[in-house]
Amino acid sequence: DAILAYRTAYDQNKNTKQAISLYSAYVQSGSIAKALEFVQSWARSKPADLTAQRTLAEAYGRAGKLAESQQLYETLSKKLPNDAFILNDLTYVMLQRGDPGALGVAQKAYQLAPTDASVLDNLGWALVQAGQTEKGLRYLREAQVRVPNSPEIRGHLDEALKRLGRKR
């Protein structure tokens, strides 16, 4: 029902807000392929709309199309070099792909948003992946303090402690 309502609203007023609402409804319903299909169409019709392009990068990531997601986030990061959250999203995708450049991107995101839990988590995890586990642990702990119930942060923290031979 929500998808139908958002589709109707989007068809009546094809703006960014309506498009994101429809995309979110597809995602919430578990229709990741349909969400990606919709966002690809919308983003193609709005090549200058950076929100559309960012949503497409996210949709690619959700659909497991990590190379496409990374490429689009890289393009966005060139257009918006001081957007910590685009850099953080880029870091996340790079970490998923095992890209060693993730650490440099994570450090830049941290310089721009040093108190954001997701930025702290990504920097900490990038350090762990780069073999700097002790240093990464500091950022992971800070991320967990800020968002104590995040399973992803908890998982990264547990893995870092395991690599150091420590327990929680």
Side-chain angles (χ1 to χ4, degrees):
D1 289 340
I3 291 173
L4 182 58
Y6 286 121
R7 172 52 85 178
T8 301
Y10 176 75
D11 288 342
Q12 291 173 357
N13 189 4
K14 292 185 177 357
N15 63 35
T16 298
K17 181 181 176 190
Q18 299 299 341
I20 290 175
S21 294
L22 179 55
Y23 165 71
S24 296
Y26 281 127
V27 169
Q28 292 297 316
S29 75
S31 301
I32 302 303
K34 194 76 170 155
L36 177 58
E37 181 184 320
F38 168 72
V39 172
Q40 283 175 315
S41 174
W42 169 54
R44 265 190 241 114
S45 73
K46 305 279 185 195
D49 183 338
L50 298 182
T51 301
Q53 301 308 310
R54 185 176 187 166
T55 305
L56 178 57
E58 176 191 319
Y60 279 138
R62 282 187 189 273
K65 296 179 176 282
L66 299 178
E68 293 89 337
S69 181
Q70 182 174 339
Q71 183 178 23
L72 199 45
Y73 278 128
E74 286 172 347
T75 299
L76 288 165
S77 73
K78 289 174 185 158
K79 292 178 181 177
L80 300 167
N82 294 316
D83 187 317
F85 304 105
I86 286 176
L87 292 170
N88 193 53
D89 291 342
L90 174 57
T91 299
Y92 182 78
V93 172
M94 292 173 81
L95 284 167
Q96 287 182 304
R97 297 188 72 213
D99 187 323
L103 179 56
V105 178
Q107 289 168 328
K108 184 164 184 192
Y110 175 75
Q111 289 171 350
L112 296 166
T115 61
D116 183 82
S118 182
V119 170
L120 288 161
D121 177 50
N122 279 341
L123 176 56
W125 190 237
L127 286 162
V128 169
Q129 294 300 317
Q132 299 177 50
T133 306
E134 191 71 49
K135 189 174 180 182
L137 189 59
R138 180 180 128 221
Y139 296 100
L140 293 170
R141 284 188 169 140
E142 180 65 26
Q144 187 178 43
V145 166
R146 294 181 185 284
V147 184
N149 296 321
S150 167
E152 187 165 22
I153 293 171
R154 190 174 319 119
H156 290 159
L157 183 57
D158 288 346
E159 178 60 28
L161 289 168
K162 180 180 168 187
R163 289 182 188 194
L164 292 170
R166 298 185 200 161
K167 293 185 179 181
R168 198 178 261 262

